[in-house]
């Protein structure tokens, strides 16, 4: 997997609109009757310009490469496949004016499989999108309806077939461990999904998040979720089926063939710098003052729009990240990866080795209890403990020296 450095930059573009709100969704997505796409393009451009002036090239010295190199761009949402083509194209053009975009830059866009959206795929490919991430979620109409999705299973299948013809690199998401889904149902569905030939799958267990429609329905006992034991069986079976089909599990919920890992998401998990543009987007990056910052943009699209128009960026929160916070973030993100956290990431950010960051005797006690494995240059969670990731992350953070 690629290792990120401070000369690299990944850019996330958030498009905060959807046709309707899915009942499980806690993303920053809004339903709006009309959207002034031209006005949004100007705001995205303005915010990109604002940050290009602030971001350091850190270790680069010669003028020619004084700008950072953009290694990945990701259009997420919301539903970015609803964006008019000129909006996606305009943003890509602005990015390449402001930064050097690496020749093999991964440029992903999330798409929903309705016919309206799939009719744009050719045009998206022609303007530079080279990876499509499809929100399929289920392959039967009953569950798609339960999940509040706008597409049918037939549309999902037609869209996957079309995507295969246009994109060499595409992924699709499925949500499993749904109420009333049996292990056998999921086995059949996953095997069918694998047969479509995608080289990347994101397979998430349904979770009930506070503030969603599902949260209140679940509290009113309108449906029952699988218990812990069944969830664990779902996860184990998912890993077995994907492994039997030559998929490599590289992050808790992400599987790839032929090393086609999502390079953009690896930046999050490996502590790389990313700039998030658009309503509700988050960033983690070094500015020209050599400090690393955490940023969050205003969530409400019109508030974001107005603030960008007034001051150049729709920032809601901007905080300098302390060394202690940074170490915790690197652990939180890094332990999601099957390979865990590499010591080089701590060296790069904090100029410290494991034994200068952690109380090693405490870390070794965790290893003896089977919760982590300490390698020559990495710390990872053993496969049979992956479902305890959140608990283990807290315990590893407790091993940090004060
Ligand atoms: S399409 Fe995606 S972002 Fe939009 S409401 Fe549904 S889950 Fe949320």
């Amino acid at each position: 997997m690629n290792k990120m450095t401070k000369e690299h930059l990944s850019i996330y573009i958030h498009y905060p609109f959807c046709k309707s709100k899915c009942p499980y969704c806690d993303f920053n997505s809004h339903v709006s009757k009309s959207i002034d796409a031209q006005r949004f393009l100007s705001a995205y451009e303005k915010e990109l310009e604002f940050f290009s002036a602030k971001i350091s090239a850190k270790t680069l010295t010669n003028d020619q490469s004084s700008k950072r190199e953009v290694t990945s761009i990701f259009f997420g949402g919301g539903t970015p496949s609803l964006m008019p083509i000129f909006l996606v194209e305009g943003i890509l053009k602005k990015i390449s004016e402001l930064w050097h975009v690496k020749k093999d830059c991964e440029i992903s866009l999330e798409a929903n499989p309705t016919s309206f959206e799939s009719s744009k795929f050719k045009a998206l490919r022609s303007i530079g999108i080279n990876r499509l991430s499809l929100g399929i979620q289920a392959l039967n109409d009953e569950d798609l309806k339960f999940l509040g999705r706008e597409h049918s299973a037939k549309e999902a299948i037609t869209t996957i077939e079309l995507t295969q013809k246009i994109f060499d690199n595409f992924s699709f998401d499925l949500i499993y461990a749904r109420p009333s889904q049996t292990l056998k149902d999921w086995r059949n569905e996953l095997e069918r999904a694998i047969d479509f030939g995608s080289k990347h799958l994101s397979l998430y267990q349904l979770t009930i998040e506070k503030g969603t429609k599902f949260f209140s329905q679940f509290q009113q006992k309108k449906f029952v979720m699988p218990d812990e034991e069944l969830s664990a069986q779902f996860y184990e079976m998912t890993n077995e089926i994907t492994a039997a089909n030559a998929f490599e599990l590289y992050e808790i919920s992400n599987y790839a063939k032929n090393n086609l890992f999502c390079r953009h998401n690896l930046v999050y998990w490996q502590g790389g710098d990313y700039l998030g543009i658009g309503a509700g987007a988050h960033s983690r990056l070094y500015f020209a003052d050599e400090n690393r910052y955490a940023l969050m943009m205003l969530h409400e699209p019109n508030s974001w729009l107005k603030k960008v128009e007034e001051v150049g960026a729709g920032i809601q929160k901007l905080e300098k990240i302390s060394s202690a916070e940074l170490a915790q973030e690197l652990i939180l993100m890094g332990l999601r990866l099957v390979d865990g956290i590499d010591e080089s990431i701590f060296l790069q950010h904090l100029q410290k080795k494991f034994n200068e960051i952690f109380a090693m005797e405490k870390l070794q006690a965790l290893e003896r209890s089977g919760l982590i494995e300490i390698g020559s240059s990495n710390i990872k969670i053993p496969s049979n403990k992956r479902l305890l990731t959140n608990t283990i992350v807290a315990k590893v953070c407790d091993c940090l020296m004060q």
Side-chain angles (χ1 to χ4, degrees):
M1 287 179 213
N2 285 352
K3 291 278 182 309
M4 291 300 134
T5 72
K6 291 172 187 170
E7 297 96 47
H8 294 149
L9 180 67
S10 287
I11 299 181
Y12 173 80
I13 306 290
H14 192 79
Y15 186 69
F17 300 109
C18 290
K19 274 189 186 158
S20 58
K21 183 81 180 174
C22 302
Y24 58 89
C25 176
D26 70 339
F27 298 136
N28 185 34
S29 66
H30 304 258
V31 179
S32 178
K33 273 199 195 115
S34 67
I35 295 149
D36 184 344
Q38 190 57 56
R39 201 172 155 205
F40 268 85
L41 174 58
S42 304
Y44 283 119
E45 288 174 336
K46 210 166 172 185
E47 200 166 64
L48 285 162
E49 278 167 7
F50 179 93
F51 285 108
S52 82
K54 287 215 174 304
I55 299 171
S56 85
K58 190 69 184 170
T59 56
L60 297 182
T61 47
N62 63 55
D63 278 341
Q64 205 195 357
S65 41
S66 64
K67 292 176 184 176
R68 292 220 210 174
E69 191 166 50
V70 176
T71 51
S72 68
I73 302 169
F74 195 104
F75 289 83
T79 308
S81 49
L82 294 175
M83 292 166 93
I85 297 295
F86 82 84
L87 180 50
V88 181
E89 193 174 17
I91 292 169
L92 289 175
K93 187 166 168 270
K94 181 51 75 180
I95 292 173
S96 60
E97 279 168 22
L98 296 170
W99 288 277
H100 176 250
V101 177
K102 207 169 172 228
K103 214 168 164 215
D104 69 344
C105 181
E106 176 189 272
I107 309 179
S108 305
L109 183 135
E110 288 178 340
N112 281 342
T114 67
S115 50
F116 168 71
E117 288 153 86
S118 59
S119 67
K120 295 183 192 169
F121 288 179
K122 263 196 183 154
L124 287 168
R125 181 73 193 92
S126 74
I127 59 165
I129 301 296
N130 54 28
R131 183 176 184 277
L132 208 70
S133 175
L134 292 171
I136 300 292
Q137 316 312 3
L139 288 172
N140 70 75
D141 286 337
E142 204 180 314
D143 284 358
L144 284 169
K145 198 166 167 219
F146 171 75
L147 293 170
R149 304 296 301 192
E150 291 269 332
H151 61 272
S152 64
K154 193 165 172 251
E155 269 185 309
I157 293 164
T158 314
T159 305
I160 296 170
E161 285 166 357
L162 176 75
T163 306
Q164 277 172 325
K165 289 185 192 139
I166 301 172
F167 291 89
D168 298 332
N169 191 0
F170 73 97
S171 172
F172 59 85
D173 296 7
L174 292 172
I175 294 176
Y176 67 102
R178 307 168 204 139
S180 78
Q181 189 181 37
T182 65
L183 288 167
K184 192 167 165 241
D185 293 337
W186 173 231
R187 172 179 288 282
N188 290 338
E189 194 169 344
L190 181 55
E191 285 176 345
R192 260 180 86 206
I194 286 171
D195 283 345
F196 288 117
S198 169
K199 307 277 190 314
H200 190 281
L201 295 170
S202 298
L203 306 172
Y204 303 104
Q205 292 209 4
L206 179 62
T207 51
I208 306 297
E209 307 293 343
K210 266 195 183 154
T212 62
K213 198 167 163 193
F214 270 179
F215 188 78
S216 45
Q217 289 179 347
F218 179 65
Q219 284 194 318
Q220 291 159 20
K221 301 200 175 3
K222 293 207 169 147
F223 59 83
V224 179
M225 289 295 289
D227 61 19
E228 224 173 88
E229 198 187 324
L230 185 55
S231 293
Q233 287 171 357
F234 266 112
Y235 188 61
E236 273 162 35
M237 197 181 81
T238 304
N239 291 345
E240 275 166 27
I241 296 171
T242 46
N245 286 278
F247 277 92
E248 181 185 342
L249 171 68
Y250 68 103
E251 189 266 353
I252 299 176
S253 309
N254 282 281
Y255 304 78
K257 267 186 185 177
N258 306 347
N259 294 331
L260 280 174
F261 312 113
C262 175
R263 285 173 8 210
H264 184 86
N265 286 343
L266 276 174
V267 170
Y268 302 150
W269 299 319
Q270 292 180 329
D273 268 16
Y274 57 93
L275 169 64
I277 295 292
H282 290 254
S283 308
R284 291 286 182 280
L285 35 83
Y286 286 90
F287 280 175
D289 66 0
E290 309 263 308
N291 288 303
R292 189 159 161 102
Y293 286 86
L295 284 109
M296 188 175 74
M297 301 301 164
L298 288 163
H299 278 63
E300 205 285 307
N302 285 315
S303 311
W304 172 81
L305 198 59
K306 278 191 202 119
K307 191 154 184 197
V308 177
E309 287 170 349
E310 281 162 23
V311 298
I315 300 170
Q316 178 175 329
K317 210 165 82 181
L318 186 151
E319 284 170 356
K320 203 188 275 185
I321 305 176
S322 69
S323 301
E325 287 163 342
L326 180 53
Q328 288 185 6
E329 275 195 1
L330 296 175
I331 294 167
L332 176 75
M333 299 309 280
L335 284 180
R336 296 186 63 89
L337 290 170
V338 167
D339 290 341
I341 324 160
D342 203 276
E343 190 168 46
S344 62
I345 291 173
F346 282 104
L347 277 168
Q348 188 199 324
H349 286 282
L350 299 162
Q351 295 76 48
K352 285 183 179 164
K353 293 182 174 178
F354 282 157
N355 61 11
E356 296 167 297
I357 296 246
F358 292 109
M360 289 308 284
E361 65 287 359
K362 280 172 107 179
L363 209 58
Q364 280 149 3
L366 280 188
E367 187 176 37
R368 282 194 297 278
S369 61
L371 294 179
I372 55 166
E373 287 171 8
I374 307 174
S376 56
S377 67
N378 72 333
I379 299 169
K380 64 179 185 177
I381 296 179
S383 57
N384 62 345
K385 294 288 187 297
R386 212 161 281 137
L387 286 175
L388 300 176
T389 296
N390 291 345
T391 314
I392 297 174
V393 163
K395 286 182 188 288
V396 173
C397 287
D398 278 346
C399 298
L400 286 168
M401 286 196 272
Q402 298 304 314

